[in-house]
Amino acid sequence: MKSNKHITRAEALKKMGKYAALTATSTFLLLNPKTAAAQTVGTDTGDTSGSRPGSIWK
Amino acid sequence: MHQNLLMVSKALKEKFLIWFQQSNRYLVCDTVIHSMLEDLETGISPEALIKTIAQESELELNAIQDIVNNVVELRATYLNPLDLIPQHTPKHIPETFKIERFFKVNDTVFKVSYLSELETSYLDPKFEHLNIPYSNTFDYHFKVFNEADITYLVVNDQVINGWTYKDIHYFLGKFGMELIQGIYNKPEEEWMGVFHGSAISNQKGCALLLGDSGNGKSTALALLQAAGFHCIADDFIPIAAKDQLVYPLPAAISVKTTSVPYLLPLYPELKDTKEYHLKRLDKHVRYLNPNNFNTNHKRPAKALIFIKYKPESDLIVNEIPEDEALEQLIPDSWISSLEINAKAFMYWFSKLKYYQLTYSDNDKMIASVNNICNS
């Protein structure tokens, strides 16, 4: 799905010098969404840092 | 050996947004990388791609080889899916539960049975205002219990999953998902995503308030609600795939205790509400009920506002580039891994406006958000 607003690769490479082209290939963003929905924990009985909240769990 | 990935691209204003089905990961890149990935996807070998680029550019061969190798490496990273939340199954589902709650949203009644006080403490602050007295009939029966340090959620006798304490925010997320599925009678595959922030609307439009924890999203939401805005959701913003509307979730709004003095004139009830300590975020909060909850109030979002309260700052409102918006949005969101829903997300995002809003003066912030919703 290419947009007319976007120039072709040949045009993009032509506009760039050698080093700019190399830089271009390192200017991207890899983005990972969460693998499940999450909600902020609203509890006053412990933290969510991974440690168990003590006596309540015993 | 070439391995085909399903790659879906969306041209944005300046960049391309690409989704990879195999891993449900996203890439934001420019024309050069996008076109190379597309060529590789059609089965063109890296060697052939190097030759093609040599013909269409004046770059030296070793520079082209470096570029193509970088892109091949980048593509390979997308073969690795993200780590999924582990699946747990309890040995036994308890027959008796110590605590029972009944929530009602419109005509849908949820019975929630808890084995201990701990599980109620996760959920009561957000949903206590929906409690109704005992009901003989209910549409959904949620059972929440702990077994061997794992908290389980069972809905209508079907085990949904179990979560360790480290992943308890995902238990709450799943609880929220089950709730919206029940309220709106839409299974999980009909939701485009769930976004972390607050959703508000005025008569003309709706915007999502986003940003890092501690930036004052919920406090801004409380101020906007007092100024006549409609609170659609706080913390958990569900958007359906088909209509791409923000669906209301009736959870209470969490406001930082440090904001309470400023909010008290608007919400006197905050004086006596219980305080909770969110240790991981190192903040104390109180919960405020949404004042006009209505499940019919579904709205299309017009804008993403990355909001930040900064003491003594002038009001600064800037439109930000799409890659900056995506960088902040995607890692904090659950986006459905179904192809049709990922496409819906990319289309939905491309139609929005994105703003960074920094403020210290509440009235100016409210006026600015009003302008964005009106535009």
Side-chain angles (χ1 to χ4, degrees):
Chain A
M1 195 189 305
K2 281 182 184 169
S3 159
N4 291 333
K5 291 176 291 183
H6 288 255
I7 57 176
T8 65
R9 176 170 66 207
E11 286 165 343
L13 287 168
K14 202 172 180 183
K15 278 176 74 178
M16 298 170 177
K18 172 183 163 186
Y19 297 105
L22 280 171
T23 309
T25 60
S26 59
T27 52
F28 54 80
L29 280 171
L30 311 173
L31 298 169
N32 301 330
K34 287 185 182 298
T35 50
Q39 279 197 73
T40 307
V41 181
T43 171
D44 60 345
T45 52
D47 65 61
T48 55
S49 61
S51 60
R52 291 168 55 190
S55 58
I56 288 167
W57 285 61
K58 287 174 185 169
Chain B
M1 191 180 135
H2 183 84
Q3 186 171 358
N4 274 320
L5 291 173
L6 176 63
M7 180 180 126
V8 178
S9 302
K10 175 79 185 158
L12 302 175
K13 289 186 193 79
E14 305 287 336
K15 305 268 185 179
F16 282 91
L17 176 61
I18 306 176
W19 173 75
F20 295 89
Q21 185 186 47
Q22 184 156 342
S23 56
N24 191 27
R25 299 166 95 179
Y26 289 84
L27 175 72
V28 185
C29 64
D30 64 9
T31 303
V32 175
I33 294 183
H34 174 254
S35 64
M36 289 186 195
L37 284 167
E38 278 202 328
D39 285 351
L40 291 168
E41 210 49 44
T42 57
I44 292 176
S45 70
E47 295 73 26
L49 185 55
I50 289 166
K51 275 187 191 165
T52 307
I53 294 173
Q55 286 164 4
E56 64 190 30
S57 78
E58 291 163 3
L59 296 175
E60 289 172 17
L61 195 61
N62 58 356
I64 297 170
Q65 283 166 341
D66 284 350
I67 294 169
V68 172
N69 288 341
N70 284 350
V71 174
V72 168
E73 214 170 283
L74 174 67
R75 186 179 172 278
T77 63
Y78 283 96
L79 292 170
N80 304 320
L82 301 170
D83 291 337
L84 295 174
I85 311 289
Q87 192 70 31
H88 295 283
T89 309
K91 283 184 182 163
H92 307 286
I93 298 174
E95 288 184 4
T96 56
F97 286 81
K98 190 177 162 190
I99 301 157
E100 284 184 341
R101 300 270 196 270
F102 293 87
F103 299 153
K104 189 172 183 187
V105 182
N106 289 349
D107 293 328
T108 310
V109 175
F110 298 86
K111 177 180 179 179
V112 189
S113 301
Y114 300 98
L115 200 61
S116 81
E117 299 283 348
L118 176 66
E119 289 86 23
T120 65
S121 78
Y122 295 141
L123 294 159
D124 272 355
K126 286 172 189 279
F127 300 109
E128 207 167 15
H129 60 289
L130 301 175
N131 282 359
I132 56 165
Y134 179 83
S135 173
N136 267 328
T137 56
F138 44 84
D139 302 284
Y140 296 90
H141 188 184
F142 290 15
K143 294 174 182 169
V144 182
F145 59 95
N146 189 273
E147 183 192 273
D149 289 350
I150 291 175
T151 300
Y152 288 95
L153 175 63
V154 171
V155 177
N156 292 352
D157 292 325
Q158 186 195 342
V159 176
I160 303 299
N161 199 1
W163 297 264
T164 62
Y165 193 65
K166 176 174 70 67
D167 286 337
I168 208 71
H169 50 297
Y170 289 120
F171 155 68
L172 288 169
K174 190 53 109 173
F175 188 92
M177 285 304 302
E178 293 292 330
L179 211 53
I180 57 168
Q181 288 176 66
I183 295 170
Y184 296 107
N185 198 22
K186 275 182 184 295
E188 187 164 315
E189 56 268 25
E190 291 185 23
W191 296 95
M192 180 183 92
V194 172
F195 301 88
H196 180 219
S198 308
I200 46 99
S201 71
N202 67 8
Q203 298 292 329
K204 292 195 172 169
C206 160
L208 309 191
L209 307 179
L210 306 163
D212 289 341
S213 183
N215 277 358
K217 298 183 291 285
S218 297
T219 304
L221 169 65
L223 290 164
L224 289 160
Q225 179 176 261
F229 279 77
H230 196 114
C231 162
I232 307 179
D234 181 47
D235 193 46
F236 185 98
I237 307 172
I239 299 188
K242 199 172 177 186
D243 55 19
Q244 290 158 35
L245 299 177
V246 180
Y247 277 55
L249 178 71
I253 303 164
S254 70
V255 292
K256 281 186 288 187
T257 302
T258 48
S259 301
V260 168
Y262 308 104
L263 295 173
L264 266 180
L266 305 169
Y267 300 100
E269 67 270 28
L270 277 174
K271 184 167 179 273
D272 301 316
T273 53
K274 190 175 172 183
E275 191 165 301
Y276 294 84
H277 185 197
L278 311 184
K279 284 188 182 173
R280 183 164 64 171
L281 303 174
D282 192 26
K283 67 178 185 181
H284 291 79
V285 298
R286 296 185 188 195
Y287 286 85
L288 187 64
N289 294 344
N291 62 4
N292 49 359
F293 177 71
N294 176 357
T295 48
N296 291 322
H297 197 92
K298 300 162 196 162
R299 290 291 181 272
K302 278 185 175 178
L304 306 181
I305 305 175
F306 296 92
I307 198 162
K308 185 175 175 61
Y309 172 80
K310 190 175 172 191
E312 296 178 27
S313 172
D314 288 334
L315 178 78
I316 307 167
V317 187
N318 292 320
E319 275 201 58
I320 59 170
E322 55 215 12
D323 51 346
E324 274 183 38
L326 285 165
E327 191 175 9
Q328 295 183 74
L329 179 71
I330 290 181
D332 228 9
S333 308
W334 170 75
I335 303 164
S336 170
S337 58
L338 296 177
E339 181 187 350
I340 191 169
N341 296 347
K343 283 179 176 168
F345 165 71
M346 295 163 97
Y347 175 81
W348 170 81
F349 176 83
S350 71
K351 297 292 174 198
L352 298 173
K353 289 194 162 189
Y354 331 106
Y355 298 91
Q356 179 78 50
L357 189 158
T358 306
Y359 77 100
S360 63
D361 184 304
N362 296 338
D363 292 338
K364 286 183 184 172
M365 178 274 290
I366 292 165
S368 180
V369 173
N370 203 37
N371 283 341
I372 291 171
C373 288
N374 288 346
S375 63

